[in-house]
Amino acid sequence: MAPRNHSARLLAGAALMLLLAATTVAQQAQQQDCSSAKFPAGRSFQRCATLPVLGANLHWTYHPTNATADVAFRAPQSADGWVAWGINTNALAMVGSSVFIASQDGSGAVSVLATYLDNSIAPSLANNTLRLSVPVGPAAEYSGGAYTIYARVELPGNNTVQNTVWQAGPLSGGDIAMHPLSASNLQSTMRLDFLSGNSSSTGAPSSNMHRRNLREFRG
Ligand SMILES: *[C@@H]1O[C@H](CO)[C@@H](O)[C@H](O)[C@H]1NC(C)=O
Ligand SMILES: *[C@@H]1O[C@H](CO)[C@@H](O)[C@H](O)[C@H]1NC(C)=O
Ligand SMILES: *[C@@H]1O[C@H](CO)[C@@H](O)[C@H](O)[C@H]1NC(C)=O
Ligand SMILES: *[C@@H]1O[C@H](CO)[C@@H](O)[C@H](O)[C@H]1NC(C)=O
């Protein structure tokens, strides 16, 4: 929820004020959580959101003139794991998403796989198959126990509201392996308005989505 929203409700009635004040404090603490993030020189972002699961944050700057967003996705992960962030133009689901997957090899060299999740059972994970226009190549770094993925994406349809997805999972013999099946890994989707920062997540996925997501990222 946007802070703007809270302000409006505060005006609505004194009876709600105590409750809302408590909510606002919680909101600010969260807000600080993502806004205190540090980035290397030359990287800065106008907005951020603390994502509801997997300890992840999203930072972005939206450019209305050319409908692009510069995005930084940061999520904690061990060095032998991967994280991913992406956009789905069809549904609030993993399958059908165009995602950036960051991982590293044994020497600590971080790379990004830019791939379209074509199949929920065994996505091909072929590089450079995004169904998104990406005017600048993505980049990623691993530092302080977290990956950060940097990407510039053209928001499909010049629509500021997009289905966003994110994920984290292990590597197996250097390959991207299936993510865990915890509730958090099955709830990592959110509709985000890159203009207002408004967002909504679906909460518990339907059993259908469960089934689809179970097989996501099987290596
Ligand atoms: C989009 O606009 C921003 C802000 O003017 C600019 O920095 C960026 O290079 C533009 N991106 C593309 C792909 O033209
Ligand atoms: C995207 O939409 C905005 C707002 O309607 C408009 O100002 C802008 O020109 C559009 N950009 C592109 C690249 O179509
Ligand atoms: C995907 O291709 C790009 C070049 O287009 C390359 O920089 C990147 O390292 C590749 N990713 C992987 C995981 O190999
Ligand atoms: C943000 O969401 C609230 C409702 O939660 C809505 O009233 C407001 O208009 C939205 N703002 C924008 C810019 O979409």
Side-chain angles (χ1 to χ4, degrees), residues 119-134:
N119 185 304
S120 58
I121 297 166
S124 59
L125 299 179
N127 198 4
N128 299 315
T129 54
L130 294 181
R131 297 193 186 174
L132 277 183
S133 171
V134 176

Side-chain angles (χ1 to χ4, degrees), residues 89-205:
T89 53
N90 299 313
L92 202 51
M94 291 290 159
V95 67
S97 297
S98 288
V99 298
F100 303 96
I101 308 177
S103 64
Q104 58 191 297
D105 63 17
S107 74
V110 177
S111 61
V112 182
L113 184 69
T115 190
Y116 177 75
L117 297 176
D118 51 6
N119 185 304
S120 58
I121 297 166
S124 59
L125 299 179
N127 198 4
N128 299 315
T129 54
L130 294 181
R131 297 193 186 174
L132 277 183
S133 171
V134 176
V136 178
E141 64 193 20
Y142 185 74
S143 164
Y147 282 101
T148 307
I149 297 172
Y150 301 102
R152 172 172 290 173
V153 298
E154 217 169 83
L155 297 181
N158 192 15
N159 189 345
T160 63
V161 180
Q162 299 288 340
N163 300 315
T164 65
V165 303
W166 64 104
Q167 200 47 273
L171 296 172
S172 171
D175 292 332
I176 289 152
M178 190 181 165
H179 64 75
L181 302 175
S182 76
S184 297
N185 294 91
L186 300 174
Q187 290 172 10
S188 48
T189 62
M190 183 174 94
R191 269 176 84 72
L192 173 68
D193 185 345
F194 285 83
L195 180 62
S196 68
N198 269 7
S199 65
S200 61
S201 35
T202 44

Side-chain angles (χ1 to χ4, degrees), residues 62-68 70 135-136 152 154:
Y62 168 61
H63 306 291
T65 51
N66 54 25
T68 61
D70 288 308
V136 178
R152 172 172 290 173
E154 217 169 83

